[in-house]
Amino acid sequence: EDQNVQKNEEDNDDEDNDALHKPSQTKNGTTPQDDDGQDKNKDTDIGATDDGDLDEKQQAQIDAMQKEDDTLTLEQIIIWSTHESVRDHDSMETLIITHKTISDSPTLLRQLRHRFNVPIPDDIGDDADKLLQFKQIMQKPIQLKVMNALRKWMQLYWDEDFSTVWCELGDEMQQELMLWIQELYDTVEQDPDSKWVKPLTDTIQKEAERYRVRDADHGKGKGNIDADQGKGNNMNNGENSRIRMNIDEECGDNLIAYILPVMRDTRIEIPSNKQQCQALIAMDNAEQMADQITLLDYEIFCNIEARECIGQAWKKKNNKKLAPHILGIIQQFNSLTVFVEIMILRERSLRQRSKALLSVIKMGERFRVLRNYNSLCAIYSALNSAPIHRLKLAWKRVPEKYKNMYENFRVIFSRDFNHRNLRHLFRWAPAPSIPHIGLFLQDLVFIDDGNSTK
């Protein structure tokens, strides 16, 4: 009996061991595995929390990798733009204009400095002929392109990216620039084959010193729109006017006064009563008025900078500082539209209103001849507005000749095929001409919304 009891206990132990090693089964006889055969009871990855989030260390590693990828992308653009066998000047200029959308100015300056120091391959370090050939064919062209890019950057955007008066990172940028210049002088002393670097370094140092002196002069009177408002002189002499304006956010409708010096000229008398305004838009003065408006539009349009068109700057909160000239030409467009509508509706008699319509159409035709399509669109918008379009009796008095002019305006600004007629005029219009700024801003918005900013 004792032997039978012992045997039964051993059999039970064997069954328990089999149960421990045998996988559990579901009702249909299968093991609890996923479709790909992996066990659901498998332990989770080390470092992952219960809710699937990464711990702080892993998140920091991912952020570092992403930052490294961004830097690598910027480095790749610089390598391509300064490659010894690539003759592409537009890519580097585009990078200088748009680099703030992907990085900042100190990072770009450090990357250019790193690119200038072209490393010598180890396999040719002992061969004097190969070393000289490498320096002449590869190293020197790359360094020349980097130096030219730096000079171009300083000439175009010193106030925005280097100035200690107008730029927040100006101190850091100038410190980095001075370190680079000193490094270039050290390179000339250590490497006899790099003597050609010294004249370029001297030029960059002189230009930087000249810009710093100019910053010191402007820093004394920062905040003044113009030192001589009575004469209407442009305070910036045509250089980086957007930065030197120091426009107040509360300027409101006075933005044109900041942009056009002629608006601050006290010698010009602005019409203030109805008779003077009617004389402006009379038949005899319509073409002269169109000429003067075109001169004002052209001055605003020529001062639009490339960075005003980046990232929809005209729609941002501080748009008056980021894109004052785009806002200025938009305001000029709206003011002309409202002015034309008011001058037509202020006429009380049917005869005077028909004359006003003739003058406006004549002014629009003059804009078309001058290729000022921005103001021409303002005229067409005013004539096509509801208050003016409803003047049926006044329109009946308009001669057929002027009605045909108005229909020509309608054909030009037709929206069919994405403004095909207007785009055709833009493409083949000789200079000088002023395009309709609204169409270009629309294209920029579509481009910006349709592409990632990273």
Side-chain angles (χ1 to χ4, degrees):
E1 292 177 358
D2 295 334
Q3 292 177 356
N4 292 332
V5 171
Q6 183 176 2
K7 185 177 181 180
N8 291 333
E9 291 177 354
E10 290 176 357
D11 294 336
N12 293 332
D13 294 336
D14 294 335
E15 293 176 359
D16 294 336
N17 291 332
D18 294 337
L20 289 174
H21 293 86
K22 185 177 180 181
S24 59
Q25 296 182 349
T26 58
K27 292 181 180 180
N28 56 4
T30 60
T31 57
Q33 295 180 348
D34 296 333
D35 296 336
D36 56 356
Q38 296 180 352
D39 194 351
K40 287 184 178 180
N41 297 327
K42 186 177 180 180
D43 294 336
T44 57
D45 295 336
I46 298 175
T49 57
D50 294 339
D51 56 355
D53 295 334
L54 298 175
D55 59 11
E56 296 181 357
K57 185 177 180 180
Q58 288 181 332
Q59 187 64 39
Q61 293 177 352
I62 294 175
D63 295 340
M65 292 175 60
Q66 292 177 350
K67 185 177 181 180
E68 184 179 356
D69 292 340
D70 292 341
T71 304
L72 182 62
T73 302
L74 179 61
E75 183 179 359
Q76 288 177 343
I77 298 174
I78 295 176
I79 291 175
W80 166 258
S81 303
T82 59
H83 196 271
E84 67 276 4
S85 60
V86 175
R87 297 182 179 180
D88 183 12
H89 303 286
D90 295 335
S91 58
M92 177 54 69
E93 185 174 352
T94 303
L95 177 61
I96 292 174
I97 294 173
T98 63
H99 72 274
K100 291 185 178 181
T101 60
I102 58 176
S103 182
D104 54 15
S105 298
T107 302
L108 177 59
L109 186 60
R110 285 190 288 267
Q111 289 291 336
L112 288 175
R113 179 182 175 184
H114 177 72
R115 177 58 173 165
F116 182 86
N117 300 320
V118 181
I120 299 176
D122 298 334
D123 56 344
I124 64 173
D126 299 333
D127 193 334
D129 295 336
K130 291 184 178 180
L131 180 60
L132 181 61
Q133 185 180 7
F134 173 80
K135 289 183 177 180
Q136 293 296 328
I137 297 177
M138 297 187 64
Q139 190 181 60
K140 185 175 180 179
I142 293 174
Q143 292 178 342
L144 279 173
K145 290 183 179 181
V146 173
M147 298 293 283
N148 290 332
L150 177 61
R151 288 190 61 191
K152 191 72 172 180
W153 188 9
M154 293 169 57
Q155 291 172 0
L156 294 178
Y157 298 104
W158 175 271
D159 288 343
E160 295 179 298
D161 300 334
F162 292 89
S163 174
T164 57
V165 179
W166 312 98
C167 179
E168 296 180 357
L169 301 176
D171 293 331
E172 181 180 357
M173 289 291 292
Q174 293 198 20
Q175 291 177 4
E176 189 71 25
L177 181 61
M178 291 300 104
L179 290 175
W180 190 2
I181 292 176
Q182 184 60 41
E183 182 180 296
L184 292 175
Y185 283 125
D186 296 339
T187 302
V188 174
E189 294 178 358
Q190 298 173 4
D191 188 2
D193 297 333
S194 301
K195 293 182 179 180
W196 60 270
V197 177
K198 188 176 185 303
L200 291 177
T201 307
D202 293 338
T203 303
I204 291 177
Q205 187 178 21
K206 291 179 181 179
E207 290 184 356
E209 185 64 28
R210 178 167 59 88
Y211 290 137
R212 282 196 293 269
V213 172
R214 190 186 66 181
D215 287 343
D217 294 338
H218 285 288
K220 297 177 182 179
K222 182 180 178 181
N224 296 328
I225 300 175
D226 200 328
D228 191 0
Q229 294 186 2
K231 297 181 180 180
N233 295 328
N234 196 341
M235 68 174 217
N236 49 53
N237 295 324
E239 297 181 0
N240 293 325
S241 57
R242 176 164 61 92
I243 297 301
R244 301 190 184 189
M245 281 181 187
N246 192 27
I247 296 176
D248 188 1
E249 291 295 334
E250 303 297 332
C251 65
D253 296 335
N254 295 326
L255 182 62
I256 296 295
Y258 285 76
I259 297 175
L260 294 177
V262 68
M263 300 298 293
R264 304 189 298 273
D265 195 337
T266 55
R267 297 171 299 178
I268 298 178
E269 181 180 358
I270 299 177
S272 57
N273 54 44
K274 179 180 177 180
Q275 288 73 19
Q276 292 176 337
C277 293
Q278 287 176 339
L280 284 176
I281 204 171
M283 286 287 293
D284 299 336
N285 297 330
E287 293 185 353
Q288 296 180 6
M289 185 176 181
D291 294 342
Q292 297 302 317
I293 293 176
T294 300
L295 292 175
L296 297 177
D297 291 345
Y298 190 72
E299 184 172 355
I300 300 175
F301 179 75
C302 289
N303 286 323
I304 295 178
E305 300 177 11
R307 288 188 177 178
E308 296 188 37
C309 305
I310 298 175
Q312 305 181 36
W314 64 92
K315 298 171 64 176
K316 296 185 181 297
K317 184 177 180 180
N318 56 340
N319 53 5
K320 292 183 179 64
K321 292 184 177 181
L322 296 177
H325 298 101
I326 290 182
L327 292 179
I329 200 167
I330 292 174
Q331 182 176 333
Q332 185 83 345
F333 178 94
N334 297 333
S335 299
L336 180 58
T337 303
V338 175
F339 171 76
V340 170
E341 292 178 351
I342 291 176
M343 292 310 299
I344 295 175
L345 296 175
R346 287 184 64 177
E347 301 296 342
R348 297 185 179 276
S349 65
L350 186 61
R351 180 171 174 271
Q352 293 298 326
R353 283 191 176 181
S354 62
K355 284 186 175 181
L357 286 173
L358 293 177
S359 300
V360 172
I361 295 175
K362 189 175 181 180
M363 187 189 307
E365 180 64 17
R366 183 61 177 176
F367 284 137
R368 188 191 65 81
V369 173
L370 295 174
R371 298 182 295 280
N372 184 0
Y373 298 107
N374 195 67
S375 293
L376 176 58
C377 185
I379 295 294
Y380 173 72
S381 300
L383 295 175
N384 199 40
S385 62
I388 308 301
H389 186 71
R390 286 199 298 261
L391 302 176
K392 303 296 183 180
L393 297 178
W395 277 103
K396 288 182 179 180
R397 288 175 171 263
V398 176
E400 194 67 23
K401 173 184 174 181
Y402 292 93
K403 287 184 179 179
N404 292 334
M405 292 181 183
Y406 174 70
E407 290 299 324
N408 190 23
F409 302 160
R410 187 189 300 275
V411 172
I412 292 175
F413 296 103
S414 174
R415 298 184 179 182
D416 296 339
F417 302 100
N418 193 18
H419 301 273
R420 182 177 62 182
N421 298 334
L422 186 58
R423 294 180 187 276
H424 181 78
L425 288 176
F426 289 167
R427 180 178 296 272
W428 299 106
S433 61
I434 305 175
H436 176 37
I437 194 66
L439 187 59
F440 282 95
L441 297 182
Q442 172 185 309
D443 294 342
L444 290 175
V445 170
F446 289 160
I447 293 173
D448 192 65
D449 293 343
N451 296 277
S452 175
T453 56
K454 185 174 180 180

